[in-house]
Amino acid sequence: NPRTVATAPNGDIFLAESEPGRIRVIRGFGSDGKIQTNEVFASGLSMPYGIAFYPPGPNPSYVYIGNTNSVVRFPYKNGDLKASGPAQTIVASIPAGGRFGGGHWTRSLLFSNDGKKLLVAVGSKANVADDESETNRADVLEFNPDGSGQRIYASGIRNASGLAMHPKTGQLWVAVNERDALGDNLVPDYISHIVEGGFYGWPWYYLGPNQDPRFAGMHPELKEKVIVPDVLLQSHSAPLALAFYDGNQFPAEFRGHKFATSHGSWNRAHRTGYKVIRVPTRDGKA
């Protein structure tokens, strides 16, 4: 059940196997195209998904893992194939998903470029709902690297399954799975930069002041506060991972652009397939 990959500073690939609760390390490919090293770095985790190295830069001391219900970290130095110590709990409790609590379960992790803040994406429990079960959900949470200082960085984001930070500007970007059951063509999924303190509509509104008919007349004071996302995607295309490109194998004009994977719909009448899209970016703007 491989779900996410993250590249360590030394080039090793860390892979989250979510259902088995494992993190693998994959190293190198030989001339025959086969993996040279494939080791289990850590196990006994709770549906791990997000992977982030800390501090940012060439020599991290820890690798942080986003369980569905917590954030833990392991001691790490470049080249480690096995965790050299036990998991240290950094955030003891975040709203759980999947078999641990229902609803969206993926917990993407990202450090700010200066390493001062840890961002954690927490998806909603329901498709749309307005009750206490959605407390600290459908948002991006912010913490200090030691797990203290929890606050909501941005809200009204149904399921920010992918997080990425512009390498130069430090601007946060998300790939978002929007709501279902309003038809094949509503509501568009999106990729967007996220404003600190911003509100993106869920569950009452979408794409600015458009009210979800299931919440007609509710929270009119929020109508003009909803931020319209930068890039709209076909409804139900379900974007997942998001990454800025800084490599050399694609045309030079692709540098600084964002790439996003999309797994396609589970409930659209004519299902969309798996795909990768590219979002051109100039100075942090799509």
Side-chain angles (χ1 to χ4, degrees), residues 30-47:
S31 58
D32 58 359
K34 294 182 179 180
I35 293 171
Q36 295 177 332
T37 304
N38 184 347
E39 298 283 352
V40 174
F41 180 82
S43 59
L45 299 166
S46 301
M47 300 182 75

Side-chain angles (χ1 to χ4, degrees), residues 19 28 75 125 134 142 144 181 185 220 229 246 257 274:
E19 279 293 341
K125 184 172 184 179
E134 299 294 347
E142 180 190 87
N144 296 321
N185 298 309
D246 61 357
H257 292 191
Y274 292 76

Side-chain angles (χ1 to χ4, degrees), residues 251-274:
E253 62 267 25
F254 285 17
R255 291 182 65 86
H257 292 191
K258 292 176 294 297
F259 282 75
T261 57
S262 183
H263 77 58
S265 175
W266 66 274
N267 63 349
R268 186 181 173 94
H270 300 286
R271 294 186 178 186
T272 57
Y274 292 76

Side-chain angles (χ1 to χ4, degrees), residues 10 17 36 45 70 81 115 118 126 151 169 204 229 264 270:
N10 73 329
E17 292 182 297
Q36 295 177 332
L45 299 166
S70 67
L81 297 174
L118 170 66
R151 73 183 184 108
T169 66
W204 306 288
H270 300 286

Side-chain angles (χ1 to χ4, degrees), residues 51-63:
I51 303 170
F53 297 91
Y54 177 83
N59 295 299
S61 300
Y62 298 96
V63 57

Side-chain angles (χ1 to χ4, degrees), residues 12-13 25 30 56-57 82 98 140 142 145 174 181 203 240 254 273 277 279 281:
D12 286 347
I13 296 173
V25 183
K82 300 281 187 181
V140 176
E142 180 190 87
V174 295
L240 296 175
F254 285 17
I277 61 172
V279 179
T281 308

